[in-house]
Structures are given as C-alpha cells and as structure tokens.
Amino acid sequence: MKKPLKVLLAFDFPVPPPEEGNFRNELNPEDWRCEQNIINALNGLEYDVRLIGIHDSIRRLQVEIRRNRPDIVFNSIESYDNVRDQEANVAGVFELLGIPYTGSRASVLHLCRNKMLTKRILSPHRIRVPNFVLLPKGSKKRSLRSLKFPVIVKPLGFEGSEGMVNKSFAESSESALERVDFLHDNLKSDALVEEFIEGREFYSGVLGNDRLTVLPLREMFFKNFPEDRAKFATFKAKWDSDFRYKWGITNSFSAPLPDGVEKKIAKISRTAYRALGLTGFGRLDLRLTSDNEIYVLEV
C-alpha cells in the first residue's frame, strides 16, 4: 500500500512550547479552533499528521524536520516570538530547508504585509485602492493635503486590525496626525493614512495556483452600531466577543448584491491574486460604495 502523505502542521505558539512536545494537550477547542479544524481535516484525509508549535526557537523546527522529514508543511504560522513581522521569515526557513509548504512564498508574505506596496502594485491593474500618504517613523513629512477627509490611519505592517481603534478614523488633519504620532511613538510603526471608503465591507477568499477558485463572499455587518460612528474593522470589532455582541457585529455570507457586482469582485480578486504572486490561498478585504465602486483595502 502507498504510504500516507506526511504532513507537518506548523503554527505559532504564544509561549515556550511543552518540553515533551505534546501539543495536542495544549490545543483546547476554544483557543485553537483553526488548528483543530486543520488537524481534523487532514486526519479525515488519512494523512500522517505531526504538530510543531513555534515560539522563539527555529532549532526546534530544524530538529523536527531532520528527525521526521515531512512531505509537506501545512504553514499556519503568522508570527515568531509573538512578532507578526517575522511571519515571512519562518516561511523562508522552509525554503532554505527545501521543504514544500502551503500558502504563498516568503517574498509574497512580506510584500502583502506592506499595505503601501500592495496598493502601488494593484493600481496599474485598474484596481481601485484608496488614495494614501505614507508617513514613516522619523520623517519630517507631515502634509496630508493630497487626501480627502475623513481618513483612516493604519500601522503599515500590522494585520488582523492590530492598532486599529475608533481614533484611527480621523475627520481632520490634526486628529489624523495625532494618531500618526501615536503609531510612531507607541507601536514603533510607520503610518499609512488613507482616504476612508464609505460602504459595505467584504472579504473575498481565493484558492489555487494555476486555476483559481473564488469562494462565496463574506461580509461584516454592523446591525446595532451607532449611525454617527464610522463602521470599519477595529481590533475590537474583529476580536472582542462582548463588543461584537453589544453592537450586533457579525461576519457571515454576504447579503444580496446588485447584478454583476459579485462577478466583478471575483474578477478583481483573481487579478489581485495574480498581480501579487499569491499561491495556495489568500484573502482580499474590499469595500463597495453606494454607487457600486469596488475598492481593495488589503490582500
């Protein structure tokens, strides 16, 4: 009989992992639902699955691969030593070790983390992106005159809405620059100031390498949110269960769309995926305005 595919599921671990390496005891269903779902799916396909949690030791990964060389790594790593900027570097280790892995290459992961570069690459492909200004740490550039207000102030290299709060929405240059200073001084991050796109927020998942499949659209709903507050995905709106319950914030399959819009979003999703060199799987964050213009916020 053909031997089952050997799959190493690699994920980031918030603390030093257990000495005995028994990660299954650490993966309780509530905190590790994503990893549990992956394990269940791989086991259901009768693959030979091993687990490795990475905190701050690449050596542990090297030893595991040397002792039990997998056919492929299922890469679920999003940080190293709780630093998300290192996500691409761990993928680079897989490349150095000559191990195939799921998802995009290290260079693409690094590119997509830089919200400014992704916008510059997508614009020539006739994909709408918000107008923006980059204000790096230590730069004397302070002008936002090229932008229309209101704006959103984002940390350049963060993801998962980290660093995004109500004050990230700014209706004046003064309040925007105040938030820029906070990102520079407290989060040690360059700041991206971009025009706020009023509209519905969607998430478009894409699977594939040569032939691409665009998954059914997901939408973020703000059912009980105050009308006088800007609706966007702050960290609390994404991750704080009590906050989401209070304001009726949910993520589910999209509400009905005007004719042709879903096909247009699918085409944009494929074009952006190709333009940025993604492989395996990816997701786009998009906004749809009241006049059905589609903007890509991030990939």
mmCIF file with all atom_site columns, all heavy atoms in Angstrom, residues 207-224:
data_model
loop_
_atom_site.group_PDB
_atom_site.id
_atom_site.type_symbol
_atom_site.label_atom_id
_atom_site.label_alt_id
_atom_site.label_comp_id
_atom_site.label_asym_id
_atom_site.label_entity_id
_atom_site.label_seq_id
_atom_site.pdbx_PDB_ins_code
_atom_site.Cartn_x
_atom_site.Cartn_y
_atom_site.Cartn_z
_atom_site.occupancy
_atom_site.B_iso_or_equiv
_atom_site.pdbx_formal_charge
_atom_site.auth_seq_id
_atom_site.auth_comp_id
_atom_site.auth_asym_id
_atom_site.auth_atom_id
_atom_site.pdbx_PDB_model_num
ATOM 1   N N   . LEU A 1 207 ? -8.638  30.439 -3.717  1.00 0.00 ? 207 LEU A N   1
ATOM 2   C CA  . LEU A 1 207 ? -7.856  29.211 -3.601  1.00 0.00 ? 207 LEU A CA  1
ATOM 3   C C   . LEU A 1 207 ? -7.255  28.862 -4.952  1.00 0.00 ? 207 LEU A C   1
ATOM 4   O O   . LEU A 1 207 ? -7.894  29.061 -5.985  1.00 0.00 ? 207 LEU A O   1
ATOM 5   C CB  . LEU A 1 207 ? -8.740  28.028 -3.157  1.00 0.00 ? 207 LEU A CB  1
ATOM 6   C CG  . LEU A 1 207 ? -9.408  28.083 -1.793  1.00 0.00 ? 207 LEU A CG  1
ATOM 7   C CD1 . LEU A 1 207 ? -10.300 26.859 -1.605  1.00 0.00 ? 207 LEU A CD1 1
ATOM 8   C CD2 . LEU A 1 207 ? -8.382  28.151 -0.687  1.00 0.00 ? 207 LEU A CD2 1
ATOM 9   N N   . GLY A 1 208 ? -6.016  28.343 -4.938  1.00 0.00 ? 208 GLY A N   1
ATOM 10  C CA  . GLY A 1 208 ? -5.474  27.791 -6.163  1.00 0.00 ? 208 GLY A CA  1
ATOM 11  C C   . GLY A 1 208 ? -4.113  28.315 -6.545  1.00 0.00 ? 208 GLY A C   1
ATOM 12  O O   . GLY A 1 208 ? -3.575  29.243 -5.935  1.00 0.00 ? 208 GLY A O   1
ATOM 13  N N   . ASN A 1 209 ? -3.569  27.697 -7.571  1.00 0.00 ? 209 ASN A N   1
ATOM 14  C CA  . ASN A 1 209 ? -2.293  28.103 -8.160  1.00 0.00 ? 209 ASN A CA  1
ATOM 15  C C   . ASN A 1 209 ? -2.502  28.447 -9.637  1.00 0.00 ? 209 ASN A C   1
ATOM 16  O O   . ASN A 1 209 ? -2.495  29.606 -10.015 1.00 0.00 ? 209 ASN A O   1
ATOM 17  C CB  . ASN A 1 209 ? -1.249  26.998 -7.996  1.00 0.00 ? 209 ASN A CB  1
ATOM 18  C CG  . ASN A 1 209 ? -0.884  26.767 -6.541  1.00 0.00 ? 209 ASN A CG  1
ATOM 19  O OD1 . ASN A 1 209 ? -0.849  27.702 -5.745  1.00 0.00 ? 209 ASN A OD1 1
ATOM 20  N ND2 . ASN A 1 209 ? -0.635  25.523 -6.183  1.00 0.00 ? 209 ASN A ND2 1
ATOM 21  N N   . ASP A 1 210 ? -2.698  27.423 -10.465 1.00 0.00 ? 210 ASP A N   1
ATOM 22  C CA  . ASP A 1 210 ? -2.932  27.661 -11.892 1.00 0.00 ? 210 ASP A CA  1
ATOM 23  C C   . ASP A 1 210 ? -4.379  28.065 -12.158 1.00 0.00 ? 210 ASP A C   1
ATOM 24  O O   . ASP A 1 210 ? -4.650  29.073 -12.793 1.00 0.00 ? 210 ASP A O   1
ATOM 25  C CB  . ASP A 1 210 ? -2.570  26.412 -12.691 1.00 0.00 ? 210 ASP A CB  1
ATOM 26  C CG  . ASP A 1 210 ? -1.101  26.038 -12.517 1.00 0.00 ? 210 ASP A CG  1
ATOM 27  O OD1 . ASP A 1 210 ? -0.274  26.968 -12.441 1.00 0.00 ? 210 ASP A OD1 1
ATOM 28  O OD2 . ASP A 1 210 ? -0.789  24.843 -12.424 1.00 0.00 ? 210 ASP A OD2 1
ATOM 29  N N   . ARG A 1 211 ? -5.303  27.267 -11.666 1.00 0.00 ? 211 ARG A N   1
ATOM 30  C CA  . ARG A 1 211 ? -6.729  27.602 -11.782 1.00 0.00 ? 211 ARG A CA  1
ATOM 31  C C   . ARG A 1 211 ? -7.208  28.113 -10.431 1.00 0.00 ? 211 ARG A C   1
ATOM 32  O O   . ARG A 1 211 ? -6.995  27.462 -9.409  1.00 0.00 ? 211 ARG A O   1
ATOM 33  C CB  . ARG A 1 211 ? -7.537  26.374 -12.211 1.00 0.00 ? 211 ARG A CB  1
ATOM 34  C CG  . ARG A 1 211 ? -7.161  25.836 -13.586 1.00 0.00 ? 211 ARG A CG  1
ATOM 35  C CD  . ARG A 1 211 ? -8.077  24.704 -13.994 1.00 0.00 ? 211 ARG A CD  1
ATOM 36  N NE  . ARG A 1 211 ? -9.458  25.169 -14.117 1.00 0.00 ? 211 ARG A NE  1
ATOM 37  C CZ  . ARG A 1 211 ? -10.482 24.368 -14.442 1.00 0.00 ? 211 ARG A CZ  1
ATOM 38  N NH1 . ARG A 1 211 ? -10.272 23.073 -14.644 1.00 0.00 ? 211 ARG A NH1 1
ATOM 39  N NH2 . ARG A 1 211 ? -11.706 24.844 -14.552 1.00 0.00 ? 211 ARG A NH2 1
ATOM 40  N N   . LEU A 1 212 ? -7.842  29.265 -10.443 1.00 0.00 ? 212 LEU A N   1
ATOM 41  C CA  . LEU A 1 212 ? -8.237  29.918 -9.194  1.00 0.00 ? 212 LEU A CA  1
ATOM 42  C C   . LEU A 1 212 ? -9.734  29.768 -8.951  1.00 0.00 ? 212 LEU A C   1
ATOM 43  O O   . LEU A 1 212 ? -10.550 29.896 -9.866  1.00 0.00 ? 212 LEU A O   1
ATOM 44  C CB  . LEU A 1 212 ? -7.876  31.400 -9.229  1.00 0.00 ? 212 LEU A CB  1
ATOM 45  C CG  . LEU A 1 212 ? -6.408  31.741 -9.494  1.00 0.00 ? 212 LEU A CG  1
ATOM 46  C CD1 . LEU A 1 212 ? -6.194  33.249 -9.448  1.00 0.00 ? 212 LEU A CD1 1
ATOM 47  C CD2 . LEU A 1 212 ? -5.494  31.031 -8.508  1.00 0.00 ? 212 LEU A CD2 1
ATOM 48  N N   . THR A 1 213 ? -10.062 29.511 -7.691  1.00 0.00 ? 213 THR A N   1
ATOM 49  C CA  . THR A 1 213 ? -11.454 29.453 -7.248  1.00 0.00 ? 213 THR A CA  1
ATOM 50  C C   . THR A 1 213 ? -11.703 30.596 -6.277  1.00 0.00 ? 213 THR A C   1
ATOM 51  O O   . THR A 1 213 ? -10.996 30.716 -5.272  1.00 0.00 ? 213 THR A O   1
ATOM 52  C CB  . THR A 1 213 ? -11.764 28.112 -6.559  1.00 0.00 ? 213 THR A CB  1
ATOM 53  O OG1 . THR A 1 213 ? -11.547 27.047 -7.489  1.00 0.00 ? 213 THR A OG1 1
ATOM 54  C CG2 . THR A 1 213 ? -13.200 28.072 -6.063  1.00 0.00 ? 213 THR A CG2 1
ATOM 55  N N   . VAL A 1 214 ? -12.683 31.421 -6.564  1.00 0.00 ? 214 VAL A N   1
ATOM 56  C CA  . VAL A 1 214 ? -13.068 32.498 -5.649  1.00 0.00 ? 214 VAL A CA  1
ATOM 57  C C   . VAL A 1 214 ? -14.237 32.001 -4.811  1.00 0.00 ? 214 VAL A C   1
ATOM 58  O O   . VAL A 1 214 ? -15.272 31.582 -5.339  1.00 0.00 ? 214 VAL A O   1
ATOM 59  C CB  . VAL A 1 214 ? -13.464 33.778 -6.420  1.00 0.00 ? 214 VAL A CB  1
ATOM 60  C CG1 . VAL A 1 214 ? -13.868 34.873 -5.443  1.00 0.00 ? 214 VAL A CG1 1
ATOM 61  C CG2 . VAL A 1 214 ? -12.306 34.249 -7.291  1.00 0.00 ? 214 VAL A CG2 1
ATOM 62  N N   . LEU A 1 215 ? -14.051 32.014 -3.508  1.00 0.00 ? 215 LEU A N   1
ATOM 63  C CA  . LEU A 1 215 ? -15.063 31.487 -2.593  1.00 0.00 ? 215 LEU A CA  1
ATOM 64  C C   . LEU A 1 215 ? -16.226 32.472 -2.439  1.00 0.00 ? 215 LEU A C   1
ATOM 65  O O   . LEU A 1 215 ? -16.089 33.661 -2.747  1.00 0.00 ? 215 LEU A O   1
ATOM 66  C CB  . LEU A 1 215 ? -14.424 31.215 -1.235  1.00 0.00 ? 215 LEU A CB  1
ATOM 67  C CG  . LEU A 1 215 ? -13.246 30.230 -1.245  1.00 0.00 ? 215 LEU A CG  1
ATOM 68  C CD1 . LEU A 1 215 ? -12.668 30.094 0.159   1.00 0.00 ? 215 LEU A CD1 1
ATOM 69  C CD2 . LEU A 1 215 ? -13.667 28.870 -1.769  1.00 0.00 ? 215 LEU A CD2 1
ATOM 70  N N   . PRO A 1 216 ? -17.373 31.998 -1.962  1.00 0.00 ? 216 PRO A N   1
ATOM 71  C CA  . PRO A 1 216 ? -18.503 32.906 -1.725  1.00 0.00 ? 216 PRO A CA  1
ATOM 72  C C   . PRO A 1 216 ? -18.102 34.048 -0.791  1.00 0.00 ? 216 PRO A C   1
ATOM 73  O O   . PRO A 1 216 ? -17.380 33.845 0.184   1.00 0.00 ? 216 PRO A O   1
ATOM 74  C CB  . PRO A 1 216 ? -19.557 31.993 -1.082  1.00 0.00 ? 216 PRO A CB  1
ATOM 75  C CG  . PRO A 1 216 ? -19.229 30.624 -1.597  1.00 0.00 ? 216 PRO A CG  1
ATOM 76  C CD  . PRO A 1 216 ? -17.732 30.584 -1.702  1.00 0.00 ? 216 PRO A CD  1
ATOM 77  N N   . LEU A 1 217 ? -18.583 35.230 -1.105  1.00 0.00 ? 217 LEU A N   1
ATOM 78  C CA  . LEU A 1 217 ? -18.200 36.428 -0.356  1.00 0.00 ? 217 LEU A CA  1
ATOM 79  C C   . LEU A 1 217 ? -18.696 36.378 1.082   1.00 0.00 ? 217 LEU A C   1
ATOM 80  O O   . LEU A 1 217 ? -19.801 35.924 1.373   1.00 0.00 ? 217 LEU A O   1
ATOM 81  C CB  . LEU A 1 217 ? -18.775 37.675 -1.019  1.00 0.00 ? 217 LEU A CB  1
ATOM 82  C CG  . LEU A 1 217 ? -18.072 38.197 -2.260  1.00 0.00 ? 217 LEU A CG  1
ATOM 83  C CD1 . LEU A 1 217 ? -18.869 39.358 -2.850  1.00 0.00 ? 217 LEU A CD1 1
ATOM 84  C CD2 . LEU A 1 217 ? -16.659 38.660 -1.929  1.00 0.00 ? 217 LEU A CD2 1
ATOM 85  N N   . ARG A 1 218 ? -17.851 36.884 1.984   1.00 0.00 ? 218 ARG A N   1
ATOM 86  C CA  . ARG A 1 218 ? -18.242 37.131 3.365   1.00 0.00 ? 218 ARG A CA  1
ATOM 87  C C   . ARG A 1 218 ? -18.395 38.639 3.555   1.00 0.00 ? 218 ARG A C   1
ATOM 88  O O   . ARG A 1 218 ? -17.749 39.433 2.865   1.00 0.00 ? 218 ARG A O   1
ATOM 89  C CB  . ARG A 1 218 ? -17.190 36.591 4.329   1.00 0.00 ? 218 ARG A CB  1
ATOM 90  C CG  . ARG A 1 218 ? -16.856 35.130 4.132   1.00 0.00 ? 218 ARG A CG  1
ATOM 91  C CD  . ARG A 1 218 ? -17.878 34.215 4.733   1.00 0.00 ? 218 ARG A CD  1
ATOM 92  N NE  . ARG A 1 218 ? -17.867 34.291 6.197   1.00 0.00 ? 218 ARG A NE  1
ATOM 93  C CZ  . ARG A 1 218 ? -18.689 33.584 6.980   1.00 0.00 ? 218 ARG A CZ  1
ATOM 94  N NH1 . ARG A 1 218 ? -19.596 32.790 6.439   1.00 0.00 ? 218 ARG A NH1 1
ATOM 95  N NH2 . ARG A 1 218 ? -18.606 33.668 8.288   1.00 0.00 ? 218 ARG A NH2 1
ATOM 96  N N   . GLU A 1 219 ? -19.244 39.015 4.490   1.00 0.00 ? 219 GLU A N   1
ATOM 97  C CA  . GLU A 1 219 ? -19.489 40.441 4.745   1.00 0.00 ? 219 GLU A CA  1
ATOM 98  C C   . GLU A 1 219 ? -19.493 40.693 6.239   1.00 0.00 ? 219 GLU A C   1
ATOM 99  O O   . GLU A 1 219 ? -19.925 39.847 7.024   1.00 0.00 ? 219 GLU A O   1
ATOM 100 C CB  . GLU A 1 219 ? -20.832 40.856 4.137   1.00 0.00 ? 219 GLU A CB  1
ATOM 101 C CG  . GLU A 1 219 ? -21.145 42.332 4.285   1.00 0.00 ? 219 GLU A CG  1
ATOM 102 C CD  . GLU A 1 219 ? -22.385 42.771 3.513   1.00 0.00 ? 219 GLU A CD  1
ATOM 103 O OE1 . GLU A 1 219 ? -23.015 41.906 2.842   1.00 0.00 ? 219 GLU A OE1 1
ATOM 104 O OE2 . GLU A 1 219 ? -22.737 43.957 3.581   1.00 0.00 ? 219 GLU A OE2 1
ATOM 105 N N   . MET A 1 220 ? -19.000 41.877 6.633   1.00 0.00 ? 220 MET A N   1
ATOM 106 C CA  . MET A 1 220 ? -19.076 42.293 8.034   1.00 0.00 ? 220 MET A CA  1
ATOM 107 C C   . MET A 1 220 ? -20.298 43.189 8.193   1.00 0.00 ? 220 MET A C   1
ATOM 108 O O   . MET A 1 220 ? -20.432 44.202 7.516   1.00 0.00 ? 220 MET A O   1
ATOM 109 C CB  . MET A 1 220 ? -17.803 43.032 8.465   1.00 0.00 ? 220 MET A CB  1
ATOM 110 C CG  . MET A 1 220 ? -17.860 43.521 9.907   1.00 0.00 ? 220 MET A CG  1
ATOM 111 S SD  . MET A 1 220 ? -16.304 44.269 10.494  1.00 0.00 ? 220 MET A SD  1
ATOM 112 C CE  . MET A 1 220 ? -15.441 42.808 11.061  1.00 0.00 ? 220 MET A CE  1
ATOM 113 N N   . PHE A 1 221 ? -21.192 42.785 9.104   1.00 0.00 ? 221 PHE A N   1
ATOM 114 C CA  . PHE A 1 221 ? -22.424 43.526 9.351   1.00 0.00 ? 221 PHE A CA  1
ATOM 115 C C   . PHE A 1 221 ? -22.330 44.279 10.674  1.00 0.00 ? 221 PHE A C   1
ATOM 116 O O   . PHE A 1 221 ? -21.815 43.748 11.665  1.00 0.00 ? 221 PHE A O   1
ATOM 117 C CB  . PHE A 1 221 ? -23.621 42.577 9.389   1.00 0.00 ? 221 PHE A CB  1
ATOM 118 C CG  . PHE A 1 221 ? -23.892 41.877 8.084   1.00 0.00 ? 221 PHE A CG  1
ATOM 119 C CD1 . PHE A 1 221 ? -23.370 40.609 7.847   1.00 0.00 ? 221 PHE A CD1 1
ATOM 120 C CD2 . PHE A 1 221 ? -24.666 42.475 7.111   1.00 0.00 ? 221 PHE A CD2 1
ATOM 121 C CE1 . PHE A 1 221 ? -23.613 39.958 6.655   1.00 0.00 ? 221 PHE A CE1 1
ATOM 122 C CE2 . PHE A 1 221 ? -24.918 41.828 5.909   1.00 0.00 ? 221 PHE A CE2 1
ATOM 123 C CZ  . PHE A 1 221 ? -24.384 40.570 5.674   1.00 0.00 ? 221 PHE A CZ  1
ATOM 124 N N   . PHE A 1 222 ? -22.846 45.496 10.700  1.00 0.00 ? 222 PHE A N   1
ATOM 125 C CA  . PHE A 1 222 ? -22.875 46.339 11.897  1.00 0.00 ? 222 PHE A CA  1
ATOM 126 C C   . PHE A 1 222 ? -24.350 46.624 12.208  1.00 0.00 ? 222 PHE A C   1
ATOM 127 O O   . PHE A 1 222 ? -24.867 47.706 11.937  1.00 0.00 ? 222 PHE A O   1
ATOM 128 C CB  . PHE A 1 222 ? -22.118 47.636 11.661  1.00 0.00 ? 222 PHE A CB  1
ATOM 129 C CG  . PHE A 1 222 ? -20.650 47.463 11.369  1.00 0.00 ? 222 PHE A CG  1
ATOM 130 C CD1 . PHE A 1 222 ? -20.210 47.123 10.096  1.00 0.00 ? 222 PHE A CD1 1
ATOM 131 C CD2 . PHE A 1 222 ? -19.701 47.647 12.361  1.00 0.00 ? 222 PHE A CD2 1
ATOM 132 C CE1 . PHE A 1 222 ? -18.857 46.978 9.815   1.00 0.00 ? 222 PHE A CE1 1
ATOM 133 C CE2 . PHE A 1 222 ? -18.344 47.505 12.096  1.00 0.00 ? 222 PHE A CE2 1
ATOM 134 C CZ  . PHE A 1 222 ? -17.937 47.158 10.815  1.00 0.00 ? 222 PHE A CZ  1
ATOM 135 N N   . LYS A 1 223 ? -25.041 45.652 12.785  1.00 0.00 ? 223 LYS A N   1
ATOM 136 C CA  . LYS A 1 223 ? -26.503 45.722 12.875  1.00 0.00 ? 223 LYS A CA  1
ATOM 137 C C   . LYS A 1 223 ? -26.999 46.755 13.882  1.00 0.00 ? 223 LYS A C   1
ATOM 138 O O   . LYS A 1 223 ? -28.014 47.419 13.659  1.00 0.00 ? 223 LYS A O   1
ATOM 139 C CB  . LYS A 1 223 ? -27.040 44.332 13.217  1.00 0.00 ? 223 LYS A CB  1
ATOM 140 C CG  . LYS A 1 223 ? -26.759 43.301 12.127  1.00 0.00 ? 223 LYS A CG  1
ATOM 141 C CD  . LYS A 1 223 ? -27.216 41.908 12.526  1.00 0.00 ? 223 LYS A CD  1
ATOM 142 C CE  . LYS A 1 223 ? -26.857 40.894 11.444  1.00 0.00 ? 223 LYS A CE  1
ATOM 143 N NZ  . LYS A 1 223 ? -27.209 39.504 11.826  1.00 0.00 ? 223 LYS A NZ  1
ATOM 144 N N   . ASN A 1 224 ? -26.322 46.884 15.031  1.00 0.00 ? 224 ASN A N   1
ATOM 145 C CA  . ASN A 1 224 ? -26.799 47.798 16.072  1.00 0.00 ? 224 ASN A CA  1
ATOM 146 C C   . ASN A 1 224 ? -25.827 48.959 16.289  1.00 0.00 ? 224 ASN A C   1
ATOM 147 O O   . ASN A 1 224 ? -25.879 49.609 17.330  1.00 0.00 ? 224 ASN A O   1
ATOM 148 C CB  . ASN A 1 224 ? -26.980 47.042 17.396  1.00 0.00 ? 224 ASN A CB  1
ATOM 149 C CG  . ASN A 1 224 ? -27.927 45.878 17.257  1.00 0.00 ? 224 ASN A CG  1
ATOM 150 O OD1 . ASN A 1 224 ? -28.896 45.933 16.501  1.00 0.00 ? 224 ASN A OD1 1
ATOM 151 N ND2 . ASN A 1 224 ? -27.662 44.807 17.983  1.00 0.00 ? 224 ASN A ND2 1
#
